[in-house]
Short mmCIF file of all heavy atoms in Angstrom, two decimals:
data_model
loop_
_atom_site.label_atom_id
_atom_site.label_comp_id
_atom_site.label_asym_id
_atom_site.label_seq_id
_atom_site.Cartn_x
_atom_site.Cartn_y
_atom_site.Cartn_z
N MET A 1 117.11 91.75 59.26
CA MET A 1 115.78 91.26 59.64
C MET A 1 115.83 89.78 59.94
O MET A 1 116.43 88.99 59.23
CB MET A 1 114.81 91.48 58.46
CG MET A 1 114.51 92.96 58.22
SD MET A 1 113.47 93.69 59.52
CE MET A 1 111.86 93.24 58.87
N THR A 2 115.14 89.38 60.96
CA THR A 2 115.08 87.96 61.25
C THR A 2 113.66 87.47 61.15
O THR A 2 112.70 88.28 61.21
CB THR A 2 115.56 87.65 62.70
OG1 THR A 2 114.82 88.49 63.62
CG2 THR A 2 117.04 88.02 62.84
N HIS A 3 113.47 86.21 61.00
CA HIS A 3 112.12 85.63 60.86
C HIS A 3 111.81 84.83 62.10
O HIS A 3 112.33 83.73 62.30
CB HIS A 3 112.02 84.75 59.65
CG HIS A 3 112.15 85.58 58.35
ND1 HIS A 3 111.09 86.16 57.78
CD2 HIS A 3 113.22 85.86 57.60
CE1 HIS A 3 111.51 86.85 56.70
NE2 HIS A 3 112.78 86.64 56.58
N PRO A 4 110.95 85.38 62.97
CA PRO A 4 110.66 84.68 64.24
C PRO A 4 109.93 83.37 64.06
O PRO A 4 109.85 82.58 65.01
CB PRO A 4 109.76 85.70 64.96
CG PRO A 4 109.21 86.60 63.91
CD PRO A 4 110.25 86.60 62.83
N ASP A 5 109.44 83.12 62.88
CA ASP A 5 108.70 81.86 62.68
C ASP A 5 109.59 80.70 62.20
O ASP A 5 109.14 79.62 61.88
CB ASP A 5 107.53 82.05 61.72
CG ASP A 5 107.99 82.64 60.37
OD1 ASP A 5 109.01 83.31 60.38
OD2 ASP A 5 107.26 82.47 59.40
N LEU A 6 110.91 80.97 62.11
CA LEU A 6 111.84 79.87 61.83
C LEU A 6 111.73 78.81 62.93
O LEU A 6 111.61 79.11 64.08
CB LEU A 6 113.25 80.38 61.82
CG LEU A 6 113.80 81.02 60.54
CD1 LEU A 6 115.23 81.53 60.76
CD2 LEU A 6 113.76 80.00 59.37
N ALA A 7 111.81 77.57 62.50
CA ALA A 7 111.65 76.49 63.50
C ALA A 7 112.82 76.52 64.48
O ALA A 7 113.97 76.72 64.09
CB ALA A 7 111.61 75.12 62.79
N PRO A 8 112.50 76.33 65.78
CA PRO A 8 113.59 76.32 66.80
C PRO A 8 114.68 75.33 66.48
O PRO A 8 115.85 75.60 66.74
CB PRO A 8 112.82 75.92 68.07
CG PRO A 8 111.43 76.39 67.84
CD PRO A 8 111.20 76.23 66.37
N THR A 9 114.29 74.19 65.91
CA THR A 9 115.32 73.18 65.52
C THR A 9 116.27 73.73 64.48
O THR A 9 117.47 73.50 64.57
CB THR A 9 114.61 71.93 64.95
OG1 THR A 9 113.27 72.21 64.70
CG2 THR A 9 114.73 70.79 65.90
N LEU A 10 115.72 74.46 63.55
CA LEU A 10 116.60 75.08 62.52
C LEU A 10 117.56 76.10 63.15
O LEU A 10 118.71 76.14 62.82
CB LEU A 10 115.69 75.77 61.48
CG LEU A 10 116.44 76.43 60.32
CD1 LEU A 10 117.31 75.40 59.58
CD2 LEU A 10 115.51 77.04 59.37
N LEU A 11 117.07 76.89 64.06
CA LEU A 11 117.89 77.90 64.73
C LEU A 11 119.00 77.17 65.47
O LEU A 11 120.13 77.63 65.51
CB LEU A 11 117.04 78.72 65.72
CG LEU A 11 116.10 79.69 65.06
CD1 LEU A 11 115.24 80.38 66.11
CD2 LEU A 11 116.85 80.74 64.23
N ARG A 12 118.71 76.01 66.11
CA ARG A 12 119.71 75.26 66.80
C ARG A 12 120.77 74.73 65.87
O ARG A 12 121.96 74.78 66.14
CB ARG A 12 119.04 74.09 67.54
CG ARG A 12 119.01 74.30 69.08
CD ARG A 12 118.33 73.12 69.77
NE ARG A 12 117.06 73.59 70.36
CZ ARG A 12 115.89 73.02 70.17
NH1 ARG A 12 115.80 72.00 69.36
NH2 ARG A 12 114.84 73.50 70.75
N LEU A 13 120.34 74.30 64.66
CA LEU A 13 121.28 73.79 63.71
C LEU A 13 122.16 74.92 63.16
O LEU A 13 123.37 74.74 62.93
CB LEU A 13 120.52 73.16 62.50
CG LEU A 13 119.84 71.82 62.83
CD1 LEU A 13 118.98 71.42 61.63
CD2 LEU A 13 120.88 70.75 63.15
N LEU A 14 121.57 76.10 63.03
CA LEU A 14 122.33 77.22 62.48
C LEU A 14 123.33 77.77 63.49
O LEU A 14 124.38 78.27 63.11
CB LEU A 14 121.37 78.35 62.09
CG LEU A 14 120.54 78.05 60.86
CD1 LEU A 14 119.50 79.18 60.68
CD2 LEU A 14 121.41 77.95 59.63
N GLY A 15 123.04 77.65 64.78
CA GLY A 15 123.95 78.23 65.79
C GLY A 15 124.27 77.31 66.91
O GLY A 15 123.86 77.51 68.03
N PRO A 16 125.05 76.23 66.61
CA PRO A 16 125.34 75.27 67.63
C PRO A 16 126.22 75.80 68.79
O PRO A 16 126.17 75.31 69.87
CB PRO A 16 126.13 74.17 66.84
CG PRO A 16 126.67 74.90 65.66
CD PRO A 16 125.71 75.98 65.35
N GLY A 17 126.98 76.87 68.45
CA GLY A 17 127.86 77.44 69.48
C GLY A 17 127.21 78.51 70.30
O GLY A 17 127.78 78.99 71.28
N GLU A 18 125.98 78.93 69.93
CA GLU A 18 125.34 80.02 70.63
C GLU A 18 124.21 79.50 71.49
O GLU A 18 123.54 78.56 71.13
CB GLU A 18 124.79 81.02 69.61
CG GLU A 18 125.91 81.66 68.82
CD GLU A 18 125.38 82.83 67.93
OE1 GLU A 18 124.22 83.19 68.12
OE2 GLU A 18 126.13 83.27 67.08
N PRO A 19 124.03 80.15 72.64
CA PRO A 19 123.03 79.71 73.57
C PRO A 19 121.64 80.18 73.27
O PRO A 19 120.72 79.93 74.06
CB PRO A 19 123.52 80.33 74.91
CG PRO A 19 124.21 81.56 74.51
CD PRO A 19 124.78 81.28 73.12
N GLU A 20 121.42 80.88 72.17
CA GLU A 20 120.12 81.44 71.91
C GLU A 20 119.04 80.38 71.86
O GLU A 20 119.16 79.32 71.25
CB GLU A 20 120.12 82.25 70.59
CG GLU A 20 118.74 82.85 70.41
CD GLU A 20 118.76 83.93 69.31
OE1 GLU A 20 119.85 84.32 68.85
OE2 GLU A 20 117.68 84.36 68.91
N VAL A 21 117.94 80.68 72.51
CA VAL A 21 116.84 79.72 72.62
C VAL A 21 115.83 80.01 71.53
O VAL A 21 115.84 81.05 70.88
CB VAL A 21 116.13 79.85 73.98
CG1 VAL A 21 117.09 79.53 75.10
CG2 VAL A 21 115.53 81.21 74.17
N GLY A 22 114.93 79.05 71.28
CA GLY A 22 113.82 79.25 70.37
C GLY A 22 112.58 79.75 71.09
O GLY A 22 112.61 79.93 72.34
N CYS A 23 111.54 80.05 70.34
CA CYS A 23 110.32 80.66 70.94
C CYS A 23 109.72 79.71 72.01
O CYS A 23 109.27 80.19 73.08
CB CYS A 23 109.30 80.95 69.86
SG CYS A 23 109.70 82.39 68.87
N ASP A 24 109.70 78.41 71.75
CA ASP A 24 109.12 77.50 72.72
C ASP A 24 109.89 77.52 74.04
O ASP A 24 109.31 77.65 75.13
CB ASP A 24 109.17 76.05 72.18
CG ASP A 24 108.10 75.86 71.09
OD1 ASP A 24 107.23 76.73 70.99
OD2 ASP A 24 108.14 74.83 70.42
N GLU A 25 111.20 77.47 73.94
CA GLU A 25 112.03 77.51 75.17
C GLU A 25 111.92 78.85 75.83
O GLU A 25 111.93 78.97 77.07
CB GLU A 25 113.48 77.20 74.80
CG GLU A 25 113.70 75.76 74.37
CD GLU A 25 114.98 75.60 73.56
OE1 GLU A 25 116.06 75.77 74.15
OE2 GLU A 25 114.90 75.38 72.37
N CYS A 26 111.86 79.90 74.99
CA CYS A 26 111.71 81.21 75.52
C CYS A 26 110.48 81.38 76.38
O CYS A 26 110.51 81.85 77.49
CB CYS A 26 111.72 82.21 74.35
SG CYS A 26 111.48 83.91 74.89
N PHE A 27 109.37 80.92 75.83
CA PHE A 27 108.09 81.01 76.56
C PHE A 27 108.11 80.17 77.81
O PHE A 27 107.57 80.53 78.85
CB PHE A 27 106.92 80.56 75.65
CG PHE A 27 106.31 81.73 74.93
CD1 PHE A 27 106.96 82.29 73.82
CD2 PHE A 27 105.10 82.26 75.31
CE1 PHE A 27 106.37 83.39 73.15
CE2 PHE A 27 104.52 83.32 74.61
CZ PHE A 27 105.16 83.90 73.54
N ALA A 28 108.79 79.02 77.75
CA ALA A 28 108.85 78.15 78.89
C ALA A 28 109.70 78.75 80.04
O ALA A 28 109.40 78.56 81.20
CB ALA A 28 109.47 76.78 78.48
N ALA A 29 110.70 79.51 79.68
CA ALA A 29 111.60 80.06 80.68
C ALA A 29 111.28 81.48 81.05
O ALA A 29 111.87 82.05 81.97
CB ALA A 29 113.05 79.99 80.17
N LEU A 30 110.33 82.12 80.34
CA LEU A 30 110.11 83.52 80.43
C LEU A 30 109.68 83.96 81.84
O LEU A 30 110.16 84.96 82.38
CB LEU A 30 109.11 84.00 79.41
CG LEU A 30 109.00 85.49 79.19
CD1 LEU A 30 110.37 86.07 78.79
CD2 LEU A 30 107.98 85.83 78.17
N ASP A 31 108.77 83.22 82.45
CA ASP A 31 108.27 83.64 83.76
C ASP A 31 109.40 83.55 84.81
O ASP A 31 109.53 84.44 85.69
CB ASP A 31 107.02 82.83 84.20
CG ASP A 31 107.28 81.37 84.23
OD1 ASP A 31 108.26 80.86 83.61
OD2 ASP A 31 106.46 80.65 84.85
N ARG A 32 110.25 82.54 84.67
CA ARG A 32 111.37 82.43 85.61
C ARG A 32 112.37 83.59 85.37
O ARG A 32 112.88 84.20 86.32
CB ARG A 32 112.12 81.09 85.39
CG ARG A 32 113.16 80.82 86.43
CD ARG A 32 113.55 79.37 86.52
NE ARG A 32 114.13 78.89 85.28
CZ ARG A 32 115.51 78.76 85.12
NH1 ARG A 32 116.27 79.10 86.08
NH2 ARG A 32 115.97 78.35 83.99
N TYR A 33 112.59 83.90 84.11
CA TYR A 33 113.48 84.96 83.76
C TYR A 33 113.01 86.32 84.35
O TYR A 33 113.77 87.08 84.93
CB TYR A 33 113.54 85.09 82.20
CG TYR A 33 114.49 86.13 81.70
CD1 TYR A 33 115.83 85.89 81.58
CD2 TYR A 33 113.99 87.40 81.33
CE1 TYR A 33 116.69 86.84 81.08
CE2 TYR A 33 114.85 88.35 80.81
CZ TYR A 33 116.18 88.08 80.71
OH TYR A 33 117.06 89.07 80.21
N VAL A 34 111.70 86.55 84.20
CA VAL A 34 111.15 87.82 84.70
C VAL A 34 111.20 87.83 86.22
O VAL A 34 111.52 88.88 86.83
CB VAL A 34 109.69 88.02 84.21
CG1 VAL A 34 109.04 89.21 84.90
CG2 VAL A 34 109.68 88.20 82.69
N GLU A 35 110.94 86.73 86.87
CA GLU A 35 111.01 86.67 88.33
C GLU A 35 112.44 86.99 88.83
O GLU A 35 112.63 87.73 89.77
CB GLU A 35 110.58 85.28 88.87
CG GLU A 35 109.09 85.15 88.91
CD GLU A 35 108.67 83.72 89.31
OE1 GLU A 35 109.54 82.95 89.74
OE2 GLU A 35 107.49 83.39 89.13
N LEU A 36 113.42 86.44 88.11
CA LEU A 36 114.82 86.70 88.45
C LEU A 36 115.11 88.17 88.24
O LEU A 36 115.79 88.81 89.10
CB LEU A 36 115.75 85.84 87.60
CG LEU A 36 115.74 84.36 87.95
CD1 LEU A 36 116.44 83.58 86.81
CD2 LEU A 36 116.38 84.10 89.26
N GLU A 37 114.63 88.76 87.15
CA GLU A 37 114.86 90.16 86.89
C GLU A 37 114.29 91.02 88.00
O GLU A 37 114.97 91.94 88.53
CB GLU A 37 114.13 90.56 85.61
CG GLU A 37 114.96 90.45 84.36
CD GLU A 37 114.27 91.10 83.18
OE1 GLU A 37 113.02 91.11 83.16
OE2 GLU A 37 114.94 91.55 82.30
N LEU A 38 113.06 90.71 88.38
CA LEU A 38 112.41 91.49 89.44
C LEU A 38 113.05 91.29 90.79
O LEU A 38 113.00 92.15 91.66
CB LEU A 38 110.92 91.13 89.49
CG LEU A 38 110.12 91.54 88.25
CD1 LEU A 38 108.65 91.11 88.40
CD2 LEU A 38 110.21 93.03 87.96
N ALA A 39 113.66 90.13 90.99
CA ALA A 39 114.35 89.88 92.25
C ALA A 39 115.72 90.50 92.30
O ALA A 39 116.41 90.46 93.31
CB ALA A 39 114.43 88.33 92.46
N GLY A 40 116.15 91.08 91.21
CA GLY A 40 117.43 91.75 91.16
C GLY A 40 118.56 90.76 90.83
O GLY A 40 119.74 91.12 90.98
N ALA A 41 118.23 89.54 90.48
CA ALA A 41 119.26 88.55 90.13
C ALA A 41 119.77 88.78 88.70
O ALA A 41 119.14 89.53 87.93
CB ALA A 41 118.68 87.15 90.27
N ASP A 42 120.86 88.14 88.40
CA ASP A 42 121.42 88.23 87.04
C ASP A 42 120.71 87.28 86.13
O ASP A 42 121.22 86.19 85.77
CB ASP A 42 122.93 87.92 87.11
CG ASP A 42 123.62 88.36 85.81
OD1 ASP A 42 122.92 88.71 84.86
OD2 ASP A 42 124.84 88.33 85.76
N ALA A 43 119.52 87.70 85.69
CA ALA A 43 118.67 86.82 84.90
C ALA A 43 119.33 86.39 83.60
O ALA A 43 119.14 85.27 83.14
CB ALA A 43 117.35 87.54 84.61
N ASP A 44 120.11 87.27 83.06
CA ASP A 44 120.75 86.96 81.78
C ASP A 44 121.76 85.85 81.89
O ASP A 44 121.97 85.05 80.96
CB ASP A 44 121.40 88.22 81.23
CG ASP A 44 121.80 88.06 79.73
OD1 ASP A 44 121.09 87.40 79.02
OD2 ASP A 44 122.85 88.64 79.37
N ALA A 45 122.43 85.76 83.07
CA ALA A 45 123.43 84.67 83.28
C ALA A 45 122.74 83.40 83.66
O ALA A 45 123.20 82.32 83.30
CB ALA A 45 124.39 85.13 84.36
N LEU A 46 121.63 83.49 84.40
CA LEU A 46 120.94 82.31 84.91
C LEU A 46 120.09 81.66 83.83
O LEU A 46 119.84 80.44 83.90
CB LEU A 46 120.11 82.67 86.14
CG LEU A 46 120.92 83.08 87.35
CD1 LEU A 46 120.07 83.77 88.39
CD2 LEU A 46 121.61 81.88 87.96
N VAL A 47 119.61 82.45 82.88
CA VAL A 47 118.86 81.90 81.75
C VAL A 47 119.51 82.31 80.46
O VAL A 47 119.09 83.23 79.79
CB VAL A 47 117.37 82.43 81.82
CG1 VAL A 47 116.50 81.65 80.78
CG2 VAL A 47 116.79 82.32 83.21
N PRO A 48 120.60 81.62 80.11
CA PRO A 48 121.42 82.02 78.97
C PRO A 48 120.63 82.01 77.65
O PRO A 48 119.84 81.10 77.41
CB PRO A 48 122.56 80.96 78.91
CG PRO A 48 122.50 80.28 80.26
CD PRO A 48 121.11 80.39 80.77
N GLY A 49 120.84 83.01 76.86
CA GLY A 49 120.26 83.06 75.52
C GLY A 49 118.93 83.73 75.44
O GLY A 49 118.48 84.10 74.38
N LEU A 50 118.25 83.85 76.60
CA LEU A 50 116.88 84.37 76.54
C LEU A 50 116.89 85.86 76.14
O LEU A 50 116.04 86.25 75.34
CB LEU A 50 116.21 84.20 77.91
CG LEU A 50 114.68 84.18 77.77
CD1 LEU A 50 114.23 82.85 77.19
CD2 LEU A 50 114.02 84.45 79.08
N ARG A 51 117.83 86.61 76.72
CA ARG A 51 117.82 88.02 76.40
C ARG A 51 118.10 88.25 74.90
O ARG A 51 117.51 89.12 74.28
CB ARG A 51 118.88 88.71 77.25
CG ARG A 51 118.75 90.24 77.20
CD ARG A 51 119.70 90.90 78.16
NE ARG A 51 120.28 92.06 77.56
CZ ARG A 51 121.37 92.68 77.97
NH1 ARG A 51 122.04 92.16 79.00
NH2 ARG A 51 121.83 93.72 77.41
N ALA A 52 119.02 87.45 74.35
CA ALA A 52 119.34 87.58 72.91
C ALA A 52 118.08 87.26 72.09
O ALA A 52 117.83 87.93 71.09
CB ALA A 52 120.44 86.61 72.55
N HIS A 53 117.30 86.28 72.54
CA HIS A 53 116.10 85.93 71.81
C HIS A 53 115.06 87.03 71.90
O HIS A 53 114.45 87.40 70.93
CB HIS A 53 115.53 84.62 72.32
CG HIS A 53 114.30 84.21 71.56
ND1 HIS A 53 114.38 83.57 70.35
CD2 HIS A 53 112.98 84.39 71.81
CE1 HIS A 53 113.16 83.39 69.91
NE2 HIS A 53 112.26 83.88 70.78
N LEU A 54 114.91 87.62 73.10
CA LEU A 54 113.95 88.69 73.29
C LEU A 54 114.29 89.88 72.44
O LEU A 54 113.40 90.56 71.89
CB LEU A 54 113.90 89.09 74.78
CG LEU A 54 113.35 88.07 75.74
CD1 LEU A 54 113.47 88.56 77.18
CD2 LEU A 54 111.89 87.78 75.40
N ALA A 55 115.59 90.14 72.29
CA ALA A 55 116.00 91.27 71.48
C ALA A 55 115.71 91.06 70.00
O ALA A 55 115.46 92.00 69.26
CB ALA A 55 117.51 91.49 71.68
N GLY A 56 115.76 89.78 69.57
CA GLY A 56 115.60 89.53 68.14
C GLY A 56 114.20 89.05 67.75
O GLY A 56 113.94 88.82 66.61
N CYS A 57 113.33 88.84 68.74
CA CYS A 57 112.02 88.27 68.48
C CYS A 57 110.93 89.22 69.01
O CYS A 57 110.73 89.27 70.22
CB CYS A 57 111.89 86.88 69.07
SG CYS A 57 110.28 86.11 68.77
N PRO A 58 110.28 90.01 68.19
CA PRO A 58 109.27 90.97 68.60
C PRO A 58 108.14 90.34 69.42
O PRO A 58 107.71 90.92 70.42
CB PRO A 58 108.76 91.55 67.31
CG PRO A 58 109.82 91.31 66.28
CD PRO A 58 110.49 90.04 66.70
N ALA A 59 107.71 89.16 69.01
CA ALA A 59 106.61 88.49 69.70
C ALA A 59 106.97 88.18 71.16
O ALA A 59 106.23 88.47 72.08
CB ALA A 59 106.22 87.22 68.99
N CYS A 60 108.15 87.60 71.35
CA CYS A 60 108.56 87.25 72.71
C CYS A 60 108.97 88.52 73.53
O CYS A 60 108.76 88.56 74.70
CB CYS A 60 109.77 86.28 72.65
SG CYS A 60 109.27 84.63 72.06
N GLY A 61 109.52 89.49 72.81
CA GLY A 61 109.86 90.75 73.49
C GLY A 61 108.62 91.39 74.03
O GLY A 61 108.64 91.90 75.15
N GLU A 62 107.53 91.33 73.28
CA GLU A 62 106.29 91.94 73.74
C GLU A 62 105.73 91.13 74.89
O GLU A 62 105.23 91.68 75.89
CB GLU A 62 105.28 91.91 72.55
CG GLU A 62 104.13 92.85 72.76
CD GLU A 62 103.27 92.91 71.49
OE1 GLU A 62 103.82 93.19 70.40
OE2 GLU A 62 102.06 92.64 71.61
N GLU A 63 105.83 89.80 74.81
CA GLU A 63 105.36 88.94 75.91
C GLU A 63 106.16 89.21 77.20
O GLU A 63 105.62 89.27 78.28
CB GLU A 63 105.54 87.45 75.47
CG GLU A 63 105.04 86.47 76.50
CD GLU A 63 103.53 86.49 76.61
OE1 GLU A 63 102.85 86.97 75.72
OE2 GLU A 63 103.03 85.96 77.62
N HIS A 64 107.44 89.43 76.99
CA HIS A 64 108.34 89.74 78.13
C HIS A 64 107.87 91.04 78.80
O HIS A 64 107.75 91.10 80.06
CB HIS A 64 109.74 89.85 77.66
CG HIS A 64 110.70 90.34 78.66
ND1 HIS A 64 111.43 91.50 78.49
CD2 HIS A 64 111.08 89.86 79.88
CE1 HIS A 64 112.20 91.73 79.57
NE2 HIS A 64 112.00 90.73 80.43
N GLU A 65 107.59 92.04 78.02
CA GLU A 65 107.18 93.35 78.52
C GLU A 65 105.89 93.22 79.36
O GLU A 65 105.80 93.69 80.48
CB GLU A 65 106.95 94.35 77.40
CG GLU A 65 108.19 94.76 76.69
CD GLU A 65 109.09 95.62 77.57
OE1 GLU A 65 108.57 96.57 78.20
OE2 GLU A 65 110.32 95.37 77.60
N SER A 66 104.90 92.51 78.78
CA SER A 66 103.61 92.47 79.45
C SER A 66 103.68 91.55 80.70
O SER A 66 103.06 91.82 81.73
CB SER A 66 102.52 91.93 78.48
OG SER A 66 102.85 90.72 77.93
N LEU A 67 104.48 90.49 80.59
CA LEU A 67 104.64 89.60 81.76
C LEU A 67 105.33 90.33 82.90
O LEU A 67 104.99 90.18 84.06
CB LEU A 67 105.43 88.35 81.36
CG LEU A 67 105.49 87.26 82.42
CD1 LEU A 67 104.11 86.73 82.77
CD2 LEU A 67 106.38 86.09 81.97
N ARG A 68 106.31 91.13 82.58
CA ARG A 68 107.03 91.87 83.62
C ARG A 68 106.15 92.90 84.25
O ARG A 68 106.13 93.07 85.49
CB ARG A 68 108.27 92.57 83.00
CG ARG A 68 109.20 93.13 84.08
CD ARG A 68 110.53 93.54 83.55
NE ARG A 68 110.44 94.62 82.56
CZ ARG A 68 111.45 95.07 81.86
NH1 ARG A 68 112.64 94.56 82.02
NH2 ARG A 68 111.29 96.07 81.01
N ALA A 69 105.33 93.56 83.44
CA ALA A 69 104.39 94.55 83.96
C ALA A 69 103.42 93.87 84.92
O ALA A 69 103.05 94.38 86.01
CB ALA A 69 103.62 95.22 82.85
N LEU A 70 102.94 92.66 84.53
CA LEU A 70 102.01 91.93 85.33
C LEU A 70 102.63 91.48 86.69
O LEU A 70 102.04 91.65 87.73
CB LEU A 70 101.60 90.66 84.55
CG LEU A 70 100.30 89.95 85.00
CD1 LEU A 70 99.10 90.72 84.59
CD2 LEU A 70 100.27 88.55 84.42
N LEU A 71 103.84 90.97 86.63
CA LEU A 71 104.51 90.50 87.83
C LEU A 71 104.89 91.65 88.74
O LEU A 71 104.96 91.51 89.98
CB LEU A 71 105.73 89.66 87.50
CG LEU A 71 105.36 88.25 86.93
CD1 LEU A 71 106.67 87.49 86.62
CD2 LEU A 71 104.53 87.45 87.90
N GLU A 72 105.21 92.80 88.17
CA GLU A 72 105.52 93.99 88.98
C GLU A 72 104.32 94.37 89.82
O GLU A 72 104.49 94.72 90.98
CB GLU A 72 105.97 95.13 88.10
CG GLU A 72 107.47 95.09 87.80
CD GLU A 72 107.85 96.15 86.76
OE1 GLU A 72 106.96 96.74 86.13
OE2 GLU A 72 109.03 96.36 86.61
N LEU A 73 103.18 94.31 89.23
CA LEU A 73 101.93 94.61 89.94
C LEU A 73 101.66 93.58 91.02
O LEU A 73 101.12 93.89 92.09
CB LEU A 73 100.74 94.63 88.99
CG LEU A 73 100.70 95.81 88.01
CD1 LEU A 73 99.52 95.60 87.03
CD2 LEU A 73 100.60 97.13 88.71
N ASP A 74 102.10 92.34 90.72
CA ASP A 74 101.76 91.22 91.61
C ASP A 74 102.72 91.07 92.79
O ASP A 74 102.47 90.38 93.70
CB ASP A 74 101.78 89.95 90.75
CG ASP A 74 100.90 88.89 91.33
OD1 ASP A 74 99.82 89.23 91.85
OD2 ASP A 74 101.26 87.70 91.27
N THR A 75 103.88 91.77 92.70
CA THR A 75 104.83 91.67 93.78
C THR A 75 105.20 93.03 94.35
O THR A 75 106.26 93.60 94.02
CB THR A 75 106.17 90.97 93.28
OG1 THR A 75 106.59 91.65 92.07
CG2 THR A 75 105.97 89.49 93.00
N PRO A 76 104.31 93.61 95.16
CA PRO A 76 104.48 94.97 95.68
C PRO A 76 105.78 95.12 96.47
O PRO A 76 106.44 96.16 96.43
CB PRO A 76 103.26 95.20 96.51
CG PRO A 76 102.70 93.84 96.84
CD PRO A 76 103.11 92.96 95.67
N GLY A 77 106.14 94.13 97.24
CA GLY A 77 107.30 94.25 98.13
C GLY A 77 108.58 93.85 97.41
O GLY A 77 109.68 94.24 97.83
N GLY A 78 108.48 93.06 96.34
CA GLY A 78 109.65 92.58 95.67
C GLY A 78 110.31 91.40 96.30
O GLY A 78 111.26 90.86 95.79
N SER A 79 109.78 90.94 97.44
CA SER A 79 110.32 89.72 98.03
C SER A 79 109.22 88.93 98.70
O SER A 79 108.14 89.47 98.94
CB SER A 79 111.39 90.10 99.10
OG SER A 79 110.78 90.84 100.09
N GLU A 80 109.45 87.68 98.99
CA GLU A 80 108.41 86.84 99.55
C GLU A 80 108.54 86.69 101.06
O GLU A 80 109.63 86.48 101.53
CB GLU A 80 108.45 85.47 98.90
CG GLU A 80 108.21 85.61 97.41
CD GLU A 80 107.69 84.28 96.81
OE1 GLU A 80 107.55 83.31 97.58
OE2 GLU A 80 107.47 84.25 95.62
ZN1 ZN B 101 110.45 84.24 70.17
#
């Protein structure tokens, strides 16, 4: 079990060698991540650590799901 309310700074101190982001960074990068996903790009490589955070953080995982659903509706063609 992980605690999603741990301070991002603390997570950074705990895992200096890992790219995992905190909730603040996750939310900041999430729309870009979802756009990359929907564009068929390698979102996990372009936004390192975000996927790991989404997997371990229910709140951000849920935000990711709803944002993706929203953007899927918003981009019928999948390209601009
Ligand atoms: Zn989070």
Side-chain angles (χ1 to χ4, degrees):
M1 292 288 275
T2 56
H3 294 274
D5 55 337
L6 276 178
T9 11
L10 180 58
L11 289 175
R12 251 179 248 127
L13 289 173
L14 289 173
E18 295 187 12
E20 182 166 348
V21 298
C23 285
D24 286 348
E25 291 160 69
C26 177
F27 268 75
L30 193 59
D31 57 343
R32 189 162 63 99
Y33 182 84
V34 172
E35 279 175 14
L36 289 168
E37 269 191 331
L38 294 179
D42 193 351
D44 193 35
L46 292 167
V47 190
L50 204 75
R51 194 174 138 199
H53 182 81
L54 292 175
C57 180
C60 290
E62 198 174 306
E63 183 69 17
H64 172 241
E65 291 290 314
S66 57
L67 188 61
R68 191 167 63 186
L70 197 76
L71 288 180
E72 274 174 347
L73 291 175
D74 206 37
T75 50
S79 61
E80 299 201 2

